[in-house]
Amino acid sequence: MADHDAHSTVGAEPPTLPSLRWEEPPEGPVLVLLDQTRLPVEEVELVCTDVPALVGAIQRLAVRGAPLLGIAGAYGVALAARRGFDVEEAAGQLAGARPTAVNLGYGVRQAAGAYAAAREKGLGEEGAAQAALDAARALHRADALASAAMARHGLALLDELLPGGSHRVLTHCNTGALVSGGEGTAFAVALAAHRQGRLRRLWVDETRPLLQGARLTAYEAARHSMAYTLLTDNAAGSLFAAGEVDAVLIGADRIAADGSVANKVGSYPLAVLAKYHHVPFVVVAPLTTVDPATPDGAAIEVEMRSGLEVTEFTGGLPAAGAEGGGGHAVAPLGTQAYNPAFDVTPPELVTALVTEEGVVSPVTGTALAELCARSPRTAMS
Ligand SMILES: CSC[C@@H](O)[C@@H](O)C(=O)COP(=O)(O)O
């Protein structure tokens, strides 16, 4: 295990991570992304001037994580509208870029809906493009607010579940500022605990095969001087057995109407381990991730990715494609690999779901429906 101890409980706060921003240089509007495939080695920005470039960035995970995919999708529609491309076609390409995170389609629909409504009102191309951009900006802001509310509710829940106030939290994949308009979902809760001096340790799963934990969560934890330790995914079992985990905090890519949770592959085994060891397993996600139109876990489409991400070691970067990855081979040439990007955890293994509207526990279809009905968010309509 690679170990990193906090320099102090809470040091000077680092500047906010610019995971994505809209810019309007004289040559025309662009969407600027922090290229997450280059982290933690270098902070390099990727400038998207059209939708195919953004779709490519989404597919190779330069921009990723459920809430940020929704925001990027919405800005993508605005980009198409402002640059005079066919908005309906662009919306279709963006929404289909990755299948599992429901936020992507939601964000695209928000901006495309605003564009279409403005056209119907007779606003003209420019006004409609502005309406799409306004919708993207509103989603971006709303996600930052949701993130702050989830951190508050999540920290209160941790304190309730774990009286004593010194938490050792295990997390999987990356759920921080890199995936959000704010400080993230599960990571934002751990960060809130850290700021209160109540996070004893953040256990960071490296998250095979693309290492979002090692490359991105460890990067964010280091920026905030959190006490964190990196482990291989398959070391989690012995860590639980040693009594070193007080709670698991993860995000979600889609939550079905029955409370089934799709998240980065490896989440389900953690939920099973947590149940066996009587450790709370907590999912933190905004309401835009809850999808009432998906009845249950079996109905969630799980993205299957290239086997090259498994058979070749690329240092965590996605393989180039089916024709060859360009990484170091770690399996005989021609080996077939099973490479789902996500897995689905049934609701009975989830101790609590934290959203910006509060905590649902136990996670049942009825409780979720009530939460959605109370929510002002259009996602639930
Ligand atoms: C708030 S982020 C929740 C999930 O989107 C995150 O845990 C995750 O699985 C991301 O997967 P990725 O394939 O990196 O986009």
Side-chain angles (χ1 to χ4, degrees):
M1 291 185 296
D3 226 20
H4 182 283
D5 283 307
H7 303 306
S8 62
T9 307
V10 185
E13 285 290 323
T16 312
L17 267 177
S19 47
L20 167 162
R21 68 177 187 280
W22 176 267
E23 275 190 4
E24 305 217 5
E27 314 81 65
V30 292
L31 187 61
V32 183
L33 311 172
L34 180 61
D35 186 345
Q36 299 193 26
T37 66
R38 308 284 282 270
L39 293 171
V41 177
E42 49 187 358
E43 293 176 3
V44 175
E45 288 186 334
L46 193 66
V47 180
C48 296
T49 56
D50 58 26
V51 166
L54 179 56
V55 167
I58 290 172
Q59 289 175 338
R60 64 183 188 85
L61 310 196
V63 58
R64 46 154 292 284
L68 195 69
L69 284 172
I71 296 165
Y75 279 117
V77 170
L79 189 63
R82 284 290 298 276
R83 287 200 171 249
F85 295 112
D86 183 323
V87 169
E88 209 176 310
E89 191 185 326
Q93 288 166 356
L94 286 161
R98 292 187 75 191
T100 305
V102 72
N103 305 61
L104 178 56
Y106 171 73
V108 168
R109 277 196 308 279
Q110 290 294 105
Y115 173 87
R119 285 307 303 258
E120 258 177 45
K121 276 195 223 148
L123 250 54
E125 197 54 48
E126 203 176 310
Q130 187 58 44
L133 181 58
D134 291 346
R137 286 188 166 133
L139 185 65
H140 201 168
R141 278 194 303 274
D143 190 63
L145 293 176
S147 173
M150 284 185 278
R152 256 193 339 271
H153 294 309
L155 183 58
L157 175 70
L158 273 191
D159 289 343
E160 189 188 312
L161 291 171
L162 309 170
S166 176
H167 315 314
R168 294 165 301 174
V169 168
L170 176 74
T171 194
H172 192 68
C173 199
N174 170 258
T175 62
L178 288 169
V179 301
S180 166
E183 292 187 320
T185 59
F187 186 86
V189 176
L191 185 55
H194 166 67
R195 287 184 175 134
Q196 299 282 320
R198 301 214 284 278
L199 183 74
R200 190 160 18 138
R201 184 144 304 269
L202 184 66
W203 298 110
V204 179
D205 264 6
E206 64 174 356
T207 316
R208 282 281 296 151
L210 294 180
L211 305 177
Q212 288 94 328
R215 294 188 300 107
L216 308 176
T217 301
Y219 165 79
E220 292 203 47
R223 288 182 94 244
H224 288 283
S225 302
M226 295 160 86
Y228 73 92
T229 302
L230 183 65
L231 62 146
T232 59
D233 298 353
N234 47 7
S238 54
L239 196 65
F240 275 98
E244 292 285 333
V245 182
D246 298 321
V248 178
L249 288 181
I250 63 159
D253 285 82
R254 185 184 300 223
I255 299 172
D258 73 339
S260 296
V261 174
N263 192 52
K264 178 53 56 191
V265 67
S267 299
Y268 168 59
L270 288 177
V272 175
L273 274 171
K275 185 79 163 183
Y276 183 77
H277 291 282
H278 309 291
V279 167
F281 183 86
V282 177
V283 175
V284 186
L287 285 176
T288 47
T289 301
V290 181
D291 183 18
T294 301
D296 53 29
I300 298 176
E301 184 183 350
V302 170
E303 175 184 1
M304 297 300 291
R305 293 186 63 87
S306 165
L308 291 169
E309 291 175 352
V310 180
T311 58
E312 294 185 359
F313 191 74
T314 60
L317 304 181
E323 65 284 354
H328 296 287
V330 292
L333 200 64
T335 297
Q336 286 187 17
Y338 168 66
N339 188 22
F342 304 97
D343 59 23
V344 178
T345 299
E348 59 272 20
L349 296 183
V350 179
T351 310
L353 166 64
V354 177
T355 76
E356 66 272 38
E357 296 283 318
V359 175
V360 175
S361 181
V363 180
T364 61
T366 314
L368 268 177
E370 277 169 18
L371 180 84
C372 293
R374 278 205 323 269
S375 166
R377 301 287 289 269
T378 48
M380 302 331 4
S381 61

